[in-house]
Amino acid sequence: MATPALRHESSPLIHRRSLLAAAAAALLAPAAHAQGAADGPMQHYIMIDVQPSADLLAVDRWYITHHAPETLARTQGAQTRYVSYRTYAVTDAEAARFNMARGRMTEIAFDSVAAFRAGITPQARARVAITPPPAQAAFTTDTVTMRTTPTRRWKDEPTPSHEAPYVRWIMFLRPPESVAEAAFDAWIEDTLGPALATAAQTRRVLLFRRIEAVPSQTFTHTLEVWFESMDDWRVAAAAFEANTPAPAWGGVFPYADMRSCLIGERPDLDFRIDTRVSP
């Protein structure tokens, strides 16, 4: 399968910034832009791509020892959820085909956008300094901010416990450069989501739309697709392109600019209660 063409722009698809820089970008956004008509529970999905030359354990040590505790202290524990998952190992070909982050994915939830923004004010930043990562802990991040409740559920089957962890495929999507967001949104609603839901291997197919809490974010939609195993994901991923009708703008599956990762059903780190969880 061909690798999808990615948009060329001033900011690369793999944003060269740390979690700290992402928060700083959010700070610059006007509050009116962030609030929206109706506030409510929200969350960040943050893909962390550890660079090939980096020391993975150095990344984890910094994240566990410094970044997460300092972030909690800065927000005065306002997060309702702050967990992190290791990503599944994938081949280089799979990583290139689906533009996959390899390292971690973190979920951070708040009761409201207002609660999130209270932790990134100048006063909050002055309250607690954030220790930057060491040079050997090189990584990049991509973030989408969304509500905690999916915008759409095309498929939501039971996932009872079994021996192997379930696999969650998280896909950040945005329209190709020449495609209007309304047309892209309609194609996801009417074609892509239903096509993923009809695959026998999928257990859940959920859509989250970005909310304007962090206007610097460029991905507009997040798809979360559950599978029973990596074998099921590989079978389904190989068939998705053949089984998904192409949109008018053409290209290759998923017919969008994409960043994705594969994680399990349970986080191995829960920073709010400081526990380590078996996957």
Side-chain angles (χ1 to χ4, degrees):
M1 291 181 288
T3 300
L6 300 177
R7 181 186 309 174
H8 295 289
E9 53 188 13
S10 57
S11 297
L13 178 59
I14 304 177
H15 296 290
R16 299 283 171 178
R17 65 181 183 236
S18 68
L19 300 177
L20 176 60
L27 177 65
L28 299 177
H33 191 111
Q35 202 65 27
D39 208 348
M42 49 80 65
Q43 62 187 349
H44 309 295
Y45 276 14
I46 306 168
M47 294 186 192
I48 303 169
D49 188 30
V50 177
Q51 299 302 285
S53 60
D55 181 335
L56 177 59
L57 295 184
V59 175
D60 273 4
R61 177 174 290 187
W62 166 80
Y63 201 19
I64 295 167
T65 305
H66 297 290
H67 186 77
E70 290 164 359
T71 300
L72 284 165
R74 174 178 280 188
T75 61
Q76 298 182 325
Q79 293 90 338
T80 58
R81 179 172 171 82
Y82 191 172
V83 298
S84 191
Y85 305 75
R86 284 199 181 278
T87 60
Y88 272 89
V90 295
T91 67
D92 289 344
E94 289 166 341
R97 172 67 184 86
F98 298 113
N99 198 25
M100 285 186 160
R102 294 191 274 189
R104 285 195 168 277
M105 199 197 85
T106 295
E107 298 175 2
I108 307 177
F110 292 85
D111 280 332
S112 64
V113 172
F116 156 62
R117 294 194 64 80
I120 56 172
T121 62
Q123 294 81 2
R125 295 174 70 203
R127 186 163 52 234
V128 178
I130 301 294
T131 303
Q136 65 269 34
F139 61 88
T140 65
T141 67
D142 286 282
T143 303
V144 176
T145 301
M146 65 196 86
R147 295 300 176 190
T148 55
T149 301
T151 308
R152 182 74 181 269
R153 302 173 189 262
W154 289 282
K155 193 174 190 177
D156 199 357
E157 295 182 353
T159 51
S161 296
H162 57 55
E163 185 176 358
Y166 291 93
V167 176
R168 295 164 63 197
W169 191 13
I170 310 298
M171 292 180 272
F172 293 170
L173 303 174
R174 66 186 175 204
E177 191 169 3
S178 60
V179 178
E181 188 168 328
F184 184 68
D185 184 72
W187 180 76
I188 288 178
E189 285 274 2
D190 300 336
T191 303
L192 180 58
L196 296 173
T198 59
Q201 296 83 8
T202 58
R203 315 311 296 166
R204 293 176 179 166
V205 181
L206 312 174
L207 170 68
F208 299 84
R209 285 194 182 87
R210 180 191 64 194
I211 59 173
E212 299 298 326
V214 186
S216 61
Q217 294 174 9
T218 61
F219 290 103
T220 56
H221 299 72
T222 297
L223 285 174
E224 181 170 330
V225 187
W226 286 55
F227 302 86
E228 289 210 12
S229 66
M230 278 293 289
D231 287 343
D232 277 1
W233 174 77
R234 287 191 165 100
V235 169
F240 278 150
E241 187 162 13
N243 296 334
T244 304
W249 56 85
V252 295
F253 180 86
Y255 311 103
D257 287 351
M258 176 174 71
R259 190 73 163 126
S260 75
C261 69
L262 292 169
I263 59 174
E265 63 190 283
R266 301 176 192 163
D268 66 304
L269 297 173
D270 188 324
F271 296 115
R272 290 183 66 248
I273 57 177
D274 194 24
T275 61
R276 312 296 186 259
V277 179
S278 169

